[in-house]
């Protein structure tokens, strides 16, 4: 009985680890956003507990549990969708539904500045999270519209050469651009962490750093 329980726990752990390894970009993105959220939460709590109660409403443990649950469910949903579509099948779906793609993309571009102003984002990670979250939400709506369109319209009616070239360029350059932006964000975070450690924790001044590197 114990061996069976251990085998099941290993399988569950292997499933989780396999999904993280298979979908590294998704896992890293969600993990980065979760760490940012938890850091903001803890920093607000230890600096001003009254302000924490006003901003986060819940107590510290309730908010931590809620954040972990929400981000884990978002990761599960993103991984599940990613496992359903390969790059080629997703590209073909884009090519089959040009109207839905163009309309939702235009609405995303128009509505995004409004949402950024509405949520009063005060950091580049918060801006990045809102852009990614809104893009993912729009993508889910796009999948739903494509599914409905596929049921209603059995045959593709539009063949736009410029649209096909745009999709080809998008699938060619978007993964690289996303990784570049993600890398720049991580590099910025590491820079601020190192600066904080040197300037605040270890009390290094500009003259100390100059002597250190010379």
């Amino acid at each position: 009985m114990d061996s069976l329980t251990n085998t099941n726990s290993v399988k569950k752990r292997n499933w989780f680890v396999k999904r993280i390894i298979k979908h590294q970009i998704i896992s890293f993105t969600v993990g980065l956003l979760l760490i940012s959220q938890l850091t903001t939460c803890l920093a607000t709590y230890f600096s001003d507990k009254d302000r924490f109660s006003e901003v986060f409403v819940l107590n510290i443990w309730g908010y931590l549990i809620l954040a972990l649950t929400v981000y884990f469910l978002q990761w599960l949903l993103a991984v599940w969708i990613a496992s359903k579509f390969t790059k080629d099948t997703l590209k073909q779906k884009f090519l089959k539904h040009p109207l839905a793609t163009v309309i939702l993309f235009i609405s995303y571009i128009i509505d995004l500045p409004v949402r950024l102003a509405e949520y009063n984002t005060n950091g580049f990670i918060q801006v990045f999270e809102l852009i990614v979250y809104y893009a993912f939400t729009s993508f889910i709506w796009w999948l739903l519209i494509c599914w409905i369109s596929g049921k209603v319209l059995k045959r593709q009616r539009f063949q736009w050469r410029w649209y096909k070239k745009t999709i080809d360029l998008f699938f060619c350059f978007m993964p690289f651009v996303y990784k570049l932006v993600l890398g720049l964000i991580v590099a910025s975070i590491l820079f601020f962490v190192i600066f904080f450690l040197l300037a605040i924790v270890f009390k290094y001044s500009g003259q100390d750093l100059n002597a250190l590197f010379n």
Side-chain angles (χ1 to χ4, degrees), residues 19 22-27 74-90 136 139-140 143:
R19 294 303 182 278
K22 184 177 180 180
H23 305 284
Q24 295 180 17
I25 300 299
I26 294 175
S27 301
Q74 289 176 351
W75 177 81
L76 279 180
L77 179 60
V79 165
W80 179 78
I81 292 176
S83 65
K84 294 295 180 181
F85 299 100
T86 64
K87 181 179 179 181
D88 292 333
T89 57
L90 188 60
F136 184 67
F139 176 72
I140 294 176
L143 286 177

Side-chain angles (χ1 to χ4, degrees), residues 7 20 41 53 58 60 66 74 80 85 89-90 94 98 103 114-115 121-123 135 139 149 154 157 162 169 206 212:
T7 303
I20 292 177
C41 168
S53 301
L58 298 174
I60 181 65
L66 178 64
Q74 289 176 351
W80 179 78
F85 299 100
T89 57
L90 188 60
F94 270 95
I103 292 173
V114 178
R115 291 182 179 270
T121 50
N122 55 2
F139 176 72
S149 176
K154 300 297 183 180
R157 297 176 181 271
W162 64 267
L169 289 174
L212 179 66

Side-chain angles (χ1 to χ4, degrees), residues 25 32 35 37 54 80 117 140 144 155 157 162 174-175 186 195-196:
I25 300 299
L32 177 66
I35 291 173
Q37 190 68 234
E54 295 177 0
W80 179 78
I140 294 176
L144 177 61
R155 185 178 175 184
R157 297 176 181 271
W162 64 267
M174 190 59 193
V186 174
F195 177 81
F196 176 82

Side-chain angles (χ1 to χ4, degrees), residues 63-79:
Y63 184 80
L64 291 177
I65 294 173
L66 178 64
L68 290 170
T69 303
V70 169
Y71 279 90
F72 178 70
L73 292 177
Q74 289 176 351
W75 177 81
L76 279 180
L77 179 60
V79 165

Side-chain angles (χ1 to χ4, degrees), residues 179-192:
K179 291 177 183 178
L180 178 63
V181 172
L182 197 61
L184 290 174
I185 291 175
V186 174
S188 301
I189 293 173
L190 291 176
F191 172 80
F192 284 116

